Amino acid sequence: MRLVIFGGTTEGRVLAEKAAALQIPVIVSVSTEYGAELLKENAFLTVHQGNLTEEEMEQLLLSWQAELCMDATHPYAELVTKNVRKACEKLALPYVRILRKEEATDAGEDRVSVKSVEEAVSFLQETEGRIFIATGSKELEKYTKLRNFKERCTARILPSEEAIEKAVSLGFSGKHLIAMQGPFSEELNEAMLKSAGSRYFVTKSSGKEGGFAEKCRAARAAGAILVVVERPESECPEKKEGQDAEKQTMTLQEACQLMESMAFKASDGTVPETDREVYLIGMGPGRASLLSVETRQVLESCEVLIGSGRMLQEAQQVLTEDKPCFISVRKEEIAAYLKERSSIKRAAVLYSGDVGFSSGAKGMEELLAGSFHVNRIPGISSPVYFLSALGLSLEEAALVSCHGKEQELIPLLLEGKKVCALLGGRSQLSGLCEKLVFYGLSDVGVTAGERLSYPEERIRRGRPEDFIGKETDSLTIALLERTESGTDRRSLPGLTDDSFSRAKVPMTKEEIRVLSLAKLNLKRDSIVYDIGSGSGSVGIEAALFATEGKVYAIEKKEEAYALTGENARKHRASNLLQIRGEAPEALQELPAPTHVFIGGSSGRLTEIVEAVLQKNNRARIVINAITLETLEILLKLKRENPRCRNMELLQVQVTRVKELSIYHLTESENPVWIAAFGGEK
């Protein structure tokens, strides 16, 4: 079953995620970029973004080879629904319209019902008092016909770039424009109505999904008159009559139940109707004697074996007769090979170690779903074998795979953990040990296991310098363990100023640094820019917190660049990478940031902010300013850039007490402005 959903609503998103979870191939068509961002594509879920004509809808349905179309567009999107229905009729494709249930409310006399936004505007034209508009950005232009609309109206729209730009172009700006994603609670609706001083609240009968009941209660609490644009009759479930209508319309719950019944063809509703089976088998560390009885039996029963040359060679050693083999480790290639050969009823795909830890088996079920029963058979993973050989249990060490990817191990060591790492490449252990020595961790105990479980197995112990410049087997696993107890990591920022080398380079002082980092709201895996890093204090504290992320310290001055490196080494901030250059040009080749701190901009603050937002328009940005000229730029950004409108500005001045003989005097630092906007607070 292949499904097309026309969405852009809560129902569309729920149905898309439901279909993907049930492994039903689905494409979801949404009109806005914001609607597309809310959906996460995967092996079963594809997103199409953009407005479609009736003909383009037909083409989408044909190209996807759809077997069912669900129309989950907004109840007021009449033209879109009309076009979807026509496209399905032309293709004789089953069509289901998802209807929202209308909520019963008790708005009473303080409610005015109208049939359209035009009718609402006509009514409001004859009234006095401020108006709060919550009918969407597409119909905002109609409200510009109201007298003095710029002062009288406040519009609430989705926080998409397209919607904000349109609203601003029409004349809605400043405190008269709110860009937020709903639905909203009663309390938040009430607060917005009171803040705007609204006498009228214009909204649509958007049902539970649109928070309609909360809007009604908020209007009553705020003393506002509710102006409701009623739904078209075709969108009211209680007005649908006749057998044909029942077949073409469903509630969200009914549509989810339909999907569940479609998901599996078997009568018991638990497995696909197929007699083809694929086994994903963990072959353990390598020695044939470590394979389970079940693994051996399955290998004997399969018609074909798939995997790397090494895995296939090991499998053949335990079989009573040779089996046909296909050498490949690429998921898509393996899936295509099996699907193209319908004669294969039983196959085994072989992986080293265990299929549940850092294994190529991840994602294979999705690629084979619907064509095969997929079964997993676990094996003994290399970490389990290695740690057992050392007399350790699995929970005593943090497990990390460095196969084909860069992983920071030093942050884990600084948290006082043993680290068990799967390494790839003959020189990777040497490079890791060089890094340990560079960051002052020469005391770390290193145990390297090579060719585990094979006759030539070797386990060596030493210090980092013992492994520098020496190659190891490509199948190496290492245990890193600090001899000194405790941890170097702080749970909160706040390194003392005197813990940083400074010379004559500017540094963000401790108290300002703590507040700025709090406003950044970093995550463990954040990608951070520290622009104008100076002594590196902010970037280093960010790196010590975002242990699974990266910090890029950008600095153009030679002395400051050198100091950042010196301090990063001193504090063992191994996930801080230095970039020599001037922003915004120095940002071009860097990965998109999630968080940005700007401590110095060399007079190019506006350019830098725009460059950052081009890379990620949802980045969280914090800026420090000490001059009134910079403050003026910040205020201009807040006024003129829609993405900076949620800017929070605060001024901080730190005063310390200093002893002088028998007296205590106050000594004040210069006041600092902290601006924070974008992303999540």
Side-chain angles (χ1 to χ4, degrees), residues 216-518:
C216 293
R217 293 194 295 269
R220 188 164 54 252
I225 296 173
L226 203 63
V227 180
V228 181
V229 181
E230 300 293 353
R231 293 190 202 177
E233 287 192 8
S234 60
E235 293 295 323
C236 300
E238 67 276 7
K239 296 179 182 178
K240 284 285 185 181
E241 297 178 357
Q243 187 175 6
D244 291 340
E246 290 177 5
K247 288 181 179 179
Q248 286 198 327
T249 63
M250 288 185 180
T251 63
L252 176 61
Q253 183 179 3
E254 290 169 341
C256 288
Q257 291 171 348
L258 174 62
M259 281 189 189
E260 290 171 358
S261 66
M262 291 180 348
F264 302 115
K265 294 181 180 179
S267 59
D268 61 1
T270 57
V271 293
E273 188 178 340
T274 177
D275 59 351
R276 305 178 72 191
E277 292 189 288
V278 170
Y279 290 87
L280 309 180
I281 300 178
M283 295 291 287
R287 193 166 72 220
S289 62
L290 296 176
L291 295 177
S292 68
V293 172
E294 182 185 14
T295 296
R296 292 168 181 263
Q297 291 174 343
V298 170
L299 289 173
E300 288 284 3
S301 68
C302 286
E303 303 163 58
V304 64
L305 308 181
I306 302 171
S308 68
R310 182 173 69 88
M311 291 295 99
L312 295 172
Q313 186 178 9
E314 291 172 8
Q316 295 286 11
Q317 292 176 4
V318 301
L319 296 173
T320 56
E321 58 181 22
D322 289 345
K323 298 274 185 180
C325 295
F326 176 59
I327 299 178
S328 178
V329 294
R330 294 180 57 244
K331 296 183 183 70
E332 294 78 7
E333 188 176 50
I334 293 170
Y337 173 86
L338 290 169
K339 290 179 180 179
E340 289 168 2
R341 290 160 176 79
S342 58
S343 61
I344 297 176
K345 300 298 183 183
R346 197 173 174 91
V349 186
L350 313 182
Y351 301 93
S352 63
D354 177 50
V355 290
F357 174 69
S358 187
S359 173
K362 184 179 180 181
M364 278 303 299
E365 285 96 334
E366 288 83 354
L367 292 174
L368 297 172
S371 301
F372 298 87
H373 294 297
V374 181
N375 308 282
R376 284 177 172 242
I377 299 181
I380 298 173
S381 68
S382 297
V384 169
Y385 180 96
F386 180 55
L387 292 173
S388 179
L390 299 179
L392 299 172
S393 58
L394 197 62
E395 63 267 19
E396 292 183 66
L399 302 183
V400 181
S401 174
C402 300
H403 278 169
K405 55 187 174 181
E406 184 182 355
Q407 293 279 6
E408 284 296 336
L409 305 183
I410 289 177
L412 295 172
L413 282 170
L414 297 183
E415 290 174 357
K417 298 176 181 177
K418 297 182 178 75
V419 179
C420 183
L422 291 172
L423 304 178
R426 295 181 178 277
S427 61
Q428 192 168 18
L429 181 59
S430 173
L432 172 60
C433 289
E434 285 181 8
K435 201 169 186 179
L436 290 171
V437 172
F438 179 83
Y439 285 102
L441 292 168
S442 300
D443 64 314
V444 169
V446 180
T447 305
E450 303 171 74
R451 303 289 295 172
L452 295 177
S453 83
Y454 290 100
E456 61 272 26
E457 173 182 292
R458 180 168 68 160
I459 295 178
R460 292 183 291 162
R461 292 178 171 85
R463 298 293 180 194
E465 53 265 30
D466 298 329
F467 294 91
I468 292 176
K470 297 179 181 178
E471 288 191 346
T472 58
D473 189 83
S474 58
L475 300 175
T476 296
I477 185 167
L479 178 71
L480 309 178
E481 183 177 6
R482 295 187 70 184
T483 54
E484 59 187 72
S485 59
T487 172
D488 292 353
R489 290 294 186 193
R490 300 166 62 94
S491 58
L492 294 171
L495 292 170
T496 59
D497 289 344
D498 58 13
S499 70
F500 294 95
S501 300
R502 182 179 175 188
K504 296 182 180 180
V505 174
M507 180 177 72
T508 304
K509 297 294 182 63
E510 179 181 341
E511 294 81 6
I512 304 301
R513 189 166 64 245
V514 168
L515 281 172
S516 298
L517 288 165

Side-chain angles (χ1 to χ4, degrees), residues 1-5 19 24-27 64 68-70 259:
M1 173 62 71
R2 295 177 67 82
L3 178 63
V4 172
I5 296 174
I24 298 173
V26 59
I27 186 169
W64 188 251
L68 175 65
C69 175
M70 287 187 171
M259 281 189 189

Side-chain angles (χ1 to χ4, degrees), residues 590-614:
L590 301 183
T594 58
H595 298 75
V596 177
F597 174 78
I598 305 175
S601 61
S602 299
R604 304 180 68 185
L605 182 58
T606 300
E607 293 177 67
I608 292 171
V609 169
E610 289 175 352
V612 166
L613 292 174
Q614 278 187 344

Side-chain angles (χ1 to χ4, degrees), residues 538-553:
V538 173
I540 288 165
E541 292 239 40
L544 295 179
F545 179 84
T547 54
E548 299 171 21
K550 281 279 189 293
V551 176
Y552 295 89

